Amino acid sequence: MTIVVGHPPHKDDRSALQLAATLARSSGQDLRVVTVVPPPWPTPVAGGPDKEFARWSREQGEAATAQARAALAELCADLRSEVVTVAASSAAATLIEQAEQHGGSIVVVGSASHGAWGTVVVGSTADRLLHSSTVPVAVATRGHRAEAATRVLRATCAFRGDAASRAVLARTAAICRDVGASLRVATFAVRGRTMYPPEVLGEKQVMEAYVARTAADQEQAVAELGDLAPADVRTAVATGATWTEALEQLEWDRGDVLVVGSSVAGLVSRLFLGSNATRIVRHSPVPVVVVPRGA
């Protein structure tokens, strides 16, 4: 199997390469680094502007390829890797095609160049991938860095309690067991806003009941894993007034990834994020892996 990495031109950003190297080292897979550049204009007349654009596009691809090779030699010389440039109009569609054609197990991209450092910032390419990919998609946090020889140490599986999230949990648990990582089953919830004091409507009691019920659902799901479960499995229910606050309730360390399953409203075997899953992804302080149904 192969990990497909999107390495855009014009961008001195190693976050996707760093995350991909960590995933590849943990799973024993190869890396296929793909740079997508604009295709030349399909015009019958080879005029000056057309030739200049084609040359510019080719030079951008060559520069990005050289940059990626240098980064790979520095970050993960211990891994087998390949670097290619593809001329195409859509980076997301090209990455999906590359994964389908080369046995890609996952597509890895970086965050957009705007937004807060240390969080997942979903750009246009990542957004399209998160709504259409047929394979899991990993998005690095903005500015993500990993030390040499870093492996995935813990996966936190976002748990909704439905059949789809149980399937994602089972797959995550199996991978954690195989790579020697610990597993955390976490449910995130945002407290609703009310115009009345909490004691009037019993909001505290409602939240306590929700946490207790969710914790019981998590324990049952963990018990159902059986032999799939890794040696270290823990559960957590994190609540907050905002999604950022809810995610910050948990401790996050280097070597952590957050695994999120796609919404049941999505097409079978394709990614589609519901509103809550989207908010969790966009507020994650660690790299996120989003898994399509049936993957």
Side-chain angles (χ1 to χ4, degrees):
M1 300 295 285
T2 301
I3 294 176
V4 176
V5 193
H7 182 65
H10 320 300
K11 193 175 180 182
D12 186 16
D13 181 9
R14 294 184 171 186
S15 60
L17 293 174
Q18 300 233 19
L19 174 59
T22 298
L23 297 175
R25 191 175 292 110
S26 302
S27 60
Q29 298 184 66
D30 299 338
L31 293 174
R32 183 175 178 83
V33 181
V34 181
T35 293
V36 182
V37 297
W41 293 323
T43 172
V45 180
D50 298 334
K51 295 170 68 174
E52 287 296 324
F53 182 84
R55 184 175 65 179
W56 173 85
S57 178
R58 183 177 62 255
E59 290 175 349
Q60 294 300 310
E62 292 172 351
T65 297
Q67 184 186 65
R69 285 182 176 138
L72 290 170
E74 178 182 340
L75 299 172
C76 52
D78 56 317
L79 301 176
R80 288 181 297 183
S81 60
E82 182 180 14
V83 183
V84 298
T85 299
V86 179
S89 57
S90 171
T94 301
L95 293 174
I96 294 173
E97 290 172 358
Q98 288 284 310
E100 293 175 344
Q101 294 171 4
H102 298 277
S105 63
I106 190 171
V107 174
V108 182
V109 293
S111 282
S113 57
H114 59 275
W117 285 92
T119 61
V120 172
V121 185
V122 179
S124 58
T125 298
D127 185 65
R128 180 170 177 185
L129 286 169
L130 292 176
H131 288 85
S132 61
S133 179
T134 54
V135 299
V137 173
V139 186
T141 54
R142 188 179 180 211
H144 174 74
R145 294 290 182 271
E147 297 177 0
T150 296
R151 297 173 180 268
V152 175
L153 301 179
R154 176 174 60 184
T156 297
C157 184
F159 183 75
R160 296 189 303 263
D162 56 13
S165 64
R166 276 180 160 80
V168 173
L169 174 60
R171 181 59 179 149
T172 305
I175 293 174
C176 286
R177 182 199 59 195
D178 292 343
V179 305
S182 62
L183 171 65
R184 179 167 60 184
V185 185
T187 301
F188 303 97
V190 173
R191 297 189 296 270
R193 297 180 180 178
T194 176
M195 62 184 295
Y196 302 103
E199 60 271 12
V200 174
L201 297 180
E203 180 180 309
K204 180 179 179 181
Q205 289 74 17
V206 171
M207 182 57 69
E208 288 176 348
Y210 168 79
V211 171
R213 184 179 70 253
T214 301
D217 289 343
Q218 291 176 342
E219 293 295 339
Q220 180 181 356
V222 170
E224 293 172 352
L225 291 174
D227 294 339
L228 290 178
D232 184 5
V233 183
R234 303 186 184 188
T235 61
V237 181
T239 65
T242 64
W243 288 103
T244 297
E245 185 177 309
L247 269 79
E248 288 179 347
Q249 289 295 311
L250 299 185
E251 176 186 354
W252 301 95
D253 299 320
R254 288 184 179 274
D256 278 357
V257 295
L258 174 62
V259 182
V260 179
S262 63
S263 170
V264 294
L267 297 173
V268 175
S269 299
R270 287 185 179 271
L271 285 182
F272 183 86
L273 293 186
S275 58
N276 286 353
T278 299
R279 294 186 181 100
I280 291 172
V281 168
R282 292 179 182 272
H283 290 85
S284 176
V286 297
V288 172
V289 177
V290 184
V291 183
R293 294 174 63 194

